[in-house]
Amino acid sequence: MNVLEEMQSYGHERVAFHHDAKTGLTAIIAIHSPVLGNALGGTRRWAYATENDALFDVLRLSEGMTYKAAASGLPMGGAKSVIIMPNAGHQPTEAEARAMGRFVDTFAGKYIAAEDVGVSPQFCDWMALETKHVMGGNTVSHGGDPSPYTALGCFNSMKACLAHTGRKVDFSNLTVAIQGCGATGYKLAKLLRQSGAAVLVTDVHVPTMKRAVEELGCVALGNDKNLLEEKVDILAPCALGGVLDAKTIAGLRCQIVCGTANNQLRNPNEDGDALAKRGILYSPDFVANAGGLIRLAGLYLGMTEGEIDHKISEIETTTAAVLKQASGGSTGAAAIAFAKAKIAAGAAKKQMAGAGCGTGCGCKA
Ligand code: NAD
């Protein structure tokens, strides 16, 4: 993979690679767009098969963050980071997190780290021992675990999907299939069960799946293939990205796809159209899963609890607006157009507010 070519094609401003000789940490930070402001995006710890896989992941995730922040109406850009674990079972340590914190600090606040898959509030607090540009910890940094807010935002997005398909916004007679019942999937399952829905689950980590069955009364399905091809009202991908491709889309028997996972479409240009052609309503991932970002970015920006809660509730109206704008075509493409319009409007507003004549001379003309 040619990094500069990829950056140009995705539209990234900066991609930085880091190796810390003392701890062995290898990591990448990608800033996609700083147009609307500093960028908050989680740090993912993952044992990637190749360096290219890590790069691909961080490029796509950071691009998604730009759209997520913009579509949510946050004055923030998009960025993300990945830590390349040496092997799958590699345990996080304070030394590793502090090394990552020092790397984050080199961006002087242009990038603000937080949780993603494999990173806990404790890890965020360890990073925060080295930099103030971290959210999502409980002691040194603040904000805590964003997953309850991500799950709630996804639940709100589901309501808009039901209304868009002309159905009653009532979960009591619905069946929802959740792929992955970790931090977000479990909490989404809980909200759905409390609202009367039947919930089917899979998880590659069997104890996690058992917990959803025992504590929430979910029904476990054997594997992902069974789950994806089960006849359900809503499919909620809540594990990793890339679950929707030509093959899986052909086998789906759901009416709506709405989950917390990032980058659910393997090939955004084709898979959004394929879903629309099959008459399956897809709630774009970065719209549906914005609750956690809204929570942490809201706290970072000094919003009140009430303002943050209101913004998370607005995921329902944002989803409705994007679905309407798609007018039967790819909802993924409509969401990107929706976000890009917000970025253009925000950039124009910023220029009007203070850029002067545009030559950089500092005048207000
Ligand atoms: P998590 O690691 O807590 O949970 C993911 C679960 O998926 C795990 O239990 C894992 O065992 C399971 N899993 C992995 N591959 C699977 C597969 N093929 N089939 C079934 N289960 C599988 O992560 P999370 O925080 O719940 O995040 C899940 C997704 O949501 C990720 O894509 C993440 O980027 C996205 N997301 C999370 C947040 C958040 O607030 N945590 C916010 C926005 C987006």
Side-chain angles (χ1 to χ4, degrees):
M1 196 185 280
N2 181 320
V3 184
L4 283 168
E5 262 176 32
E6 293 295 326
M7 285 174 71
Q8 281 163 37
S9 94
Y10 282 100
H12 282 78
E13 183 192 78
R14 190 171 167 205
V15 176
F17 294 75
H18 183 64
H19 172 241
D20 180 68
K22 215 166 144 195
T23 59
L25 172 87
T26 47
I28 311 172
I29 294 177
I31 297 203
H32 179 252
S33 168
V35 172
L36 295 184
N38 291 338
L40 191 149
T43 300
R44 176 171 290 189
R45 287 180 78 254
W46 195 253
Y48 294 97
T50 66
E51 191 181 301
N52 270 352
D53 288 353
L55 182 60
F56 177 72
D57 208 23
V58 78
L59 291 177
R60 274 202 70 188
L61 287 167
S62 51
E63 181 192 20
M65 292 309 289
T66 298
Y67 302 143
K68 195 183 297 194
S72 309
L74 292 166
M76 299 210 86
K80 201 95 181 177
S81 58
V82 294
I83 292 174
I84 304 170
M85 286 160 53
N87 54 61
H90 189 73
Q91 291 303 307
T93 62
E94 180 177 338
E96 178 197 59
R98 291 183 79 140
M100 186 64 191
R102 289 191 293 276
F103 181 29
V104 171
D105 202 54
T106 62
F107 282 76
K110 221 170 176 186
Y111 169 59
I112 303 125
E115 290 95 340
D116 193 72
V117 174
V119 164
S120 62
Q122 169 67 81
F123 196 90
C124 291
D125 278 331
W126 282 334
M127 286 196 280
L129 291 170
E130 301 286 348
T131 179
K132 58 180 188 211
H133 308 299
V134 176
M135 293 293 294
N138 289 318
T139 52
V140 190
S141 68
H142 72 298
D145 175 12
S147 64
Y149 304 91
T150 305
L152 178 61
C154 183
F155 183 67
N156 293 337
S157 187
M158 284 180 177
K159 291 183 192 168
C161 292
L162 289 172
H164 187 85
T165 52
R167 298 176 66 159
K168 211 168 141 197
V169 183
D170 175 3
F171 289 87
S172 58
N173 287 316
L174 298 186
T175 303
V176 181
I178 300 185
Q179 182 196 36
C181 27
T184 57
Y186 178 89
K187 290 165 192 109
L188 178 62
K190 193 169 182 182
L191 289 169
L192 288 162
R193 293 290 295 140
Q194 283 166 349
S195 306
V199 177
L200 313 177
V201 290
T202 55
D203 199 295
V204 288
H205 188 240
V206 174
T208 301
M209 187 163 68
K210 272 194 177 157
R211 182 174 160 229
V213 172
E214 284 162 13
E215 294 180 9
L216 303 176
C218 297
V219 176
L221 288 191
N223 58 41
D224 281 350
K225 187 170 175 345
N226 291 350
L227 185 97
L228 295 174
E229 296 183 1
E230 187 76 18
K231 194 168 187 306
V232 292
D233 298 288
I234 305 176
L235 169 69
C238 298
L240 292 180
V243 65
L244 301 171
D245 60 18
K247 200 168 158 208
T248 54
I249 290 170
L252 294 181
R253 293 202 298 149
C254 58
Q255 294 181 353
I256 293 166
V257 176
C258 181
T260 62
N262 282 311
N263 298 335
Q264 291 169 32
L265 307 181
R266 185 169 293 276
N267 182 338
N269 293 331
E270 292 168 12
D271 300 331
D273 283 331
L275 283 162
K277 277 192 194 123
R278 284 221 46 215
I280 296 168
L281 187 69
Y282 166 61
S283 178
D285 45 21
F286 62 79
V287 175
N289 71 15
L293 173 69
I294 293 171
R295 171 77 187 165
L296 293 185
L299 291 172
Y300 171 83
L301 294 165
M303 287 163 63
T304 64
E305 292 285 337
E307 286 166 341
I308 293 170
D309 290 348
H310 179 67
K311 228 179 200 343
I312 294 171
S313 73
E314 280 180 346
I315 289 177
E316 186 175 347
T317 46
T318 305
T319 305
V322 168
L323 298 180
K324 193 169 169 214
Q325 200 166 303
S327 53
S330 165
T331 54
I336 291 174
F338 181 86
K340 282 186 170 170
K342 293 233 178 192
I343 294 167
K349 205 169 149 196
K350 262 174 129 179
Q351 190 160 357
M352 294 273 289
C357 65
T359 63
C361 71
C363 76
K364 293 276 177 199

